[in-house]
Amino acid sequence: MNKVILMGRLTRDPEVRYSQGENAMAVARYTLAVDRRFNRNNDDQSADFISCVAFGRSGEFAEKYLHKGTKVAITGRIQTGSYTNKDGVKVYTTDVVVEDQEFAESKNTAGNSDGGFVPAGRPAPAAVGDGFMNIPDGIDEELPFN
């Protein structure tokens, strides 16, 4: 079984390219900084930097929503490969091919102040001291269900 589960932050914006041909497909590459649980031998580096590649819809999602610093949880599989560079040296690669990716923190936690959907023409509901937001009066008529 070849299954990988990672949680970390993007080190830079995804690099997205589209394949050639009739059915062009997005190919997004990004690097995740994944914290280590334990720091052996008091190394200064406490994270691993793991190369990830997302194809198709996952690549389009990465292009549209992921950016440097975004915390994501991904599942996928490890894929190894090799190629000969222009100097004639054989280079070995290891990537995680992303099968599923999702946000690992809310926009508010990430530092954005615009977390949450507010219908047009309505003021944003204020947070109550117990952590829940106030629901404005009269919103029941706008809901598509009862």
Side-chain angles (χ1 to χ4, degrees):
M1 178 188 293
N2 183 355
K3 187 75 164 179
V4 176
I5 302 171
L6 299 170
M7 184 171 4
R9 294 188 184 278
L10 273 73
T11 60
R12 65 184 192 288
D13 290 346
E15 178 184 309
V16 181
R17 296 184 178 165
Y18 284 84
S19 63
Q20 299 292 323
E22 194 174 302
N23 297 325
M25 176 175 53
V27 179
R29 293 187 171 276
Y30 55 85
T31 301
L32 277 186
V34 180
D35 287 332
R36 293 182 180 167
R37 266 192 174 181
F38 304 104
N39 193 358
R40 295 185 183 167
N41 302 327
N42 294 326
D43 291 336
D44 288 336
Q45 181 180 345
S46 63
D48 292 304
F49 298 90
I50 301 171
S51 298
C52 302
V53 61
F55 295 98
R57 303 281 293 196
S58 293
E60 293 170 9
F61 177 87
E63 178 179 34
K64 190 171 183 180
Y65 297 109
L66 303 184
H67 55 83
K68 180 180 178 177
T70 303
K71 188 174 187 179
V72 294
I74 68 166
T75 59
R77 60 185 168 81
I78 291 184
Q79 180 173 290
T80 60
S82 65
Y83 64 92
T84 303
N85 68 11
K86 60 184 172 188
D87 299 327
V89 177
K90 192 163 192 168
V91 178
Y92 295 92
T93 62
T94 303
D95 294 310
V96 172
V97 177
V98 176
E99 295 169 354
D100 187 37
Q101 58 195 350
E102 56 189 66
F103 297 107
E105 67 184 359
S106 68
K107 283 186 177 183
N108 287 340
T109 305
N112 295 336
S113 60
D114 61 337
F117 171 78
V118 177
R122 275 214 186 275
V128 180
D130 61 1
F132 293 95
M133 70 170 81
N134 283 327
I135 305 299
D137 292 331
I139 197 165
D140 293 336
E141 293 83 38
E142 295 181 21
L143 296 176
F145 50 86
N146 285 329

